[in-house]
DNA sequence: CCGTATCCGTTATGATACTG
DNA sequence: CAGTATCATAACGGATACGG
């Protein structure tokens, strides 16, 4: 059994989740939901992403038909990325989960702290 | 900047997404949504997971307060895992995304095939 | 400006073997 | 049954440098 990213061997929604699970993909989709954006602009706004990972992430999203890539015939050339219709629908579908995440973040942090504390106490 | 799992350095919902993004976590939550389950039973039903990864995944979920762990005083001892209230609410929140995944899986597969084909054609 | 290729350390994962 | 320890390996991620 290959590593984590070995695309789904049974569960059908798995390869979709794999894409969503990718840390950067979510952030990029979030940004593009606000409107089309160019490569360097994206890199500036997506906190901490390297050019390499942005490139890789965009290629994945493009391959899955979630993001479109358009080269502008300017000088110097610019490339504009945007959510496709499918990509936009994914962004909407993530809404409920994002809301849950924000609502429950405090509870999760507390649970972690409590868990870690009980471990230390046990020693 | 450390690796992928370096818990969020800006985006607040990131550490929640990191958990959801973990391939196994989602599958385990899905299974537990059907009711409490023991360790080996889980391993049998979660396709392809190793004992080690199941152990690691369960500890993460437990630490985040999403899963509870109860030791039954039987012989041989059994351990029952179950979704907590928070865990169950996460499962519900994943519902919309899961539905999206199932609906759009064909489209994504097609997009991938088309993308790969156009790449080969370009050579 | 928009990438991609390479190098290379860090982390994740599976297999195996062993304990309570 | 329910794990954990150790080890080898593969994937991931950042930095750098170069090309379109």
């Amino acid at each position: 059994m290959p590593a984590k990213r070995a695309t789904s061997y049974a569960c059908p929604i798995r390869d979709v989740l794999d894409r969503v699970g990718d840390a950067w993909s979510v952030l990029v989709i979030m940004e593009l939901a606000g409107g089309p954006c160019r490569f360097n602009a994206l890199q500036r706004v997506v906190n901490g992403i390297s050019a390499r990972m942005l490139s890789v992430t965009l290629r994945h999203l493009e391959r899955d038909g979630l993001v479109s890539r358009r080269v502008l015939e300017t000088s110097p050339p610019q490339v504009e990325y945007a959510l496709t219709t499918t990509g936009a629908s994914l962004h909407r579908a993530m809404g409920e989960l994002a809301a849950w995440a924000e609502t429950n973040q405090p509870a999760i942090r507390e649970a972690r702290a409590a868990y870690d504390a009980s471990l230390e106490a046990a020693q």
Side-chain angles (χ1 to χ4, degrees), chain A:
Chain A
M1 216 69 54
K4 179 187 166 193
R5 307 230 158 271
T7 331
S8 70
Y9 27 84
C11 184
I13 64 173
R14 184 60 169 282
D15 47 73
V16 175
L17 254 23
D18 275 355
R19 180 90 15 264
V20 174
D22 178 22
W24 299 123
S25 292
V26 176
L27 297 183
V28 168
I29 290 173
M30 295 282 207
E31 287 303 330
L32 289 182
C37 198
R38 284 177 307 106
F39 189 90
N40 277 1
L42 266 177
Q43 189 179 2
R44 253 173 276 124
V45 77
V46 177
N47 201 331
I49 195 170
S50 63
R52 184 166 118 53
M53 287 317 295
L54 181 55
S55 176
V56 169
T57 301
L58 284 171
R59 248 186 295 129
H60 281 164
L61 292 172
E62 191 191 353
R63 186 167 100 102
D64 286 359
L66 300 172
V67 158
S68 64
R69 178 180 185 275
R70 191 163 65 103
V71 180
L72 304 178
E73 298 296 342
T74 58
S75 176
Q78 300 187 333
V79 181
E80 193 180 80
Y81 292 93
L83 249 40
T84 62
T85 306
T86 311
S89 78
L90 172 57
H91 176 247
R92 279 192 298 276
M94 296 191 313
E96 195 178 349
L97 189 61
W100 185 93
E102 231 170 323
T103 304
N104 291 275
Q105 202 205 12
I108 289 184
R109 284 196 189 285
E110 278 175 43
R112 281 180 190 169
Y115 184 92
D116 294 347
S118 72
L119 273 193
E120 277 189 39
Q123 286 179 12

